Amino acid sequence: MSPASSLLAGALLAAAVLGAPRPNPEPELGLVRWGRDFEHALAASRSSGRPVLVLFDEVPGCATCRNCRPGRDAELLARFDEPAWNNPVLRFLDARGHDVVARADELYSAHEIAGRLVEALHAAGRPVPAYLALTAEETQTAHRREATFDMTCFWEGEANLGALPGVLDVHAVNTGAGEGVRVTYDESRVTNEQLVRAARERQCVAHRGTAAAGRSAVGNDHLHALAASPLRWLPLTPMQAMRVNSALAAGGDGLAFLSPRQLALSRRAMAMTPNALRRLAGLSRPGDVDGLVAYEQRLRVALGE
């Protein structure tokens, strides 16, 4: 994963000791702009209070092709007792160059990396941005369950259930009884029974959820509040889109779930005139995290950047 520009930038300072591109089956959530001056990163950490993220990696990425050349990289490998042939290692350091969390290697998944970022920020006494917390939650694959509920209204159902802790995704569907919402949730955080109870408390459920998944609703019935907002153009993950939709439906602005880069894009989108917005008519945000980086590039072209 390359976590950063869309979702994960700004929480830590990044410095690459050894880095090389390699095939990656994980979705790209953004672009890391790695620094190469380690002492400068430590100085920036002293100024900002943010921990430093350091990547140790093989170049070009195989055990038989070791980067053992003398120089600054070799000095840092020796300083941190890292072998030149190791698999990716992420270390999180304070301004003195000391680990803020224990060293770990073989972190390949988006969930593992996002989780380590959250852990490092907690250890450093730094706030965890909402967009990073959502990323760590959304990219986990264990404990996922689905349930489809017959609802009195697509819009209220998605908005109310999408705001609940432990809910990872919602989708408006047509069930045999009418309007419904398919919910993906983390069973370790919320149970099906709790979802049913919460829906009834909010008076947006007609009766107990059905076993069938249902057919996807069409048009603006999915995430209706977001679909009616200029924020619909943003490169959002499904969980971000769900939470922004719930916030908008409740009368909020949803901006708390956005990264700094997304906030900058949101200001551009919300300031566009109706004529300018027509340039975005052909864009369609991906329904999952794959393709978000490419979508952001197309959006920036449409915005004239």
Side-chain angles (χ1 to χ4, degrees):
M1 179 179 105
S2 297
S5 66
S6 288
L7 295 182
L8 305 184
L12 301 99
L13 302 164
V17 174
L18 298 175
R22 62 177 64 208
N24 189 349
E26 289 292 314
E28 293 291 342
L29 298 180
L31 303 173
V32 175
R33 290 179 173 82
W34 295 101
R36 292 286 293 158
D37 188 329
F38 181 69
E39 298 303 330
H40 176 76
L42 293 183
S45 178
R46 286 192 292 272
S47 175
S48 69
R50 292 183 290 168
V52 177
L53 165 61
V54 183
L55 169 68
F56 294 87
D57 199 5
E58 298 171 13
V59 176
C62 60
T64 57
C65 304
R66 304 181 183 183
N67 187 343
C68 298
R69 295 175 297 176
R72 186 57 175 152
D73 284 348
E75 294 171 4
L76 288 174
L77 288 174
R79 173 175 174 176
F80 290 98
D81 194 25
E82 291 287 352
W85 51 265
N86 205 355
N87 288 317
V89 177
L90 293 179
R91 307 240 338 221
F92 299 88
L93 312 176
D94 61 21
R96 299 172 297 170
H98 298 161
D99 291 298
V100 297
V101 293
R103 174 193 181 279
D105 58 15
E106 298 188 26
L107 302 175
Y108 296 110
S109 73
H111 177 61
E112 290 173 318
I113 295 174
R116 287 288 289 179
L117 292 169
V118 170
E119 183 183 357
L121 289 172
H122 278 308
R126 300 287 298 181
V128 177
Y131 58 87
L132 175 55
L134 288 183
T135 301
E137 187 176 356
E138 183 172 16
T139 52
Q140 66 85 18
T141 57
H143 311 297
R144 281 178 173 253
R145 298 291 185 272
E146 279 192 359
T148 301
F149 298 90
D150 291 315
M151 312 297 291
T152 55
C153 174
F154 290 132
W155 304 352
E156 292 182 7
E158 282 194 328
N160 282 280
L161 296 180
L164 297 176
V167 173
L168 306 175
D169 193 18
V170 292
H171 200 89
V173 295
N174 292 291
T175 69
E179 299 184 8
V181 175
R182 183 172 64 246
V183 178
T184 303
Y185 61 99
D186 180 349
E187 193 177 39
S188 69
R189 298 194 61 202
V190 62
T191 65
N192 186 278
E193 290 72 22
Q194 288 172 323
L195 288 174
V196 172
R197 185 165 59 251
R200 286 175 175 162
E201 289 172 353
R202 289 160 175 77
Q203 299 180 349
C204 63
V205 63
H207 50 273
R208 177 59 187 266
T210 62
R215 294 178 292 105
S216 293
V218 297
N220 290 341
D221 281 328
H222 177 51
L223 301 181
H224 175 75
L226 176 61
S229 164
L231 298 181
R232 67 187 180 276
W233 303 113
L234 296 183
L236 303 171
T237 72
M239 194 169 181
Q240 273 189 311
M242 175 188 73
R243 292 295 172 82
V244 171
N245 178 75
S246 294
L248 292 172
D253 57 22
L255 300 181
F257 301 104
L258 305 184
S259 72
R261 190 176 180 91
Q262 289 170 322
L263 283 170
L265 280 174
S266 74
R267 288 191 288 270
R268 289 291 311 278
M270 289 188 289
M272 293 188 75
T273 64
N275 286 336
L277 281 171
R278 292 192 184 96
R279 297 202 303 268
L280 309 182
L283 291 178
S284 178
R285 190 181 69 248
D288 53 31
V289 294
D290 292 306
L292 282 181
V293 172
Y295 172 79
E296 181 183 339
Q297 293 171 344
R298 295 195 299 272
L299 175 61
R300 288 185 177 280
V301 171
L303 289 172
E305 294 189 2

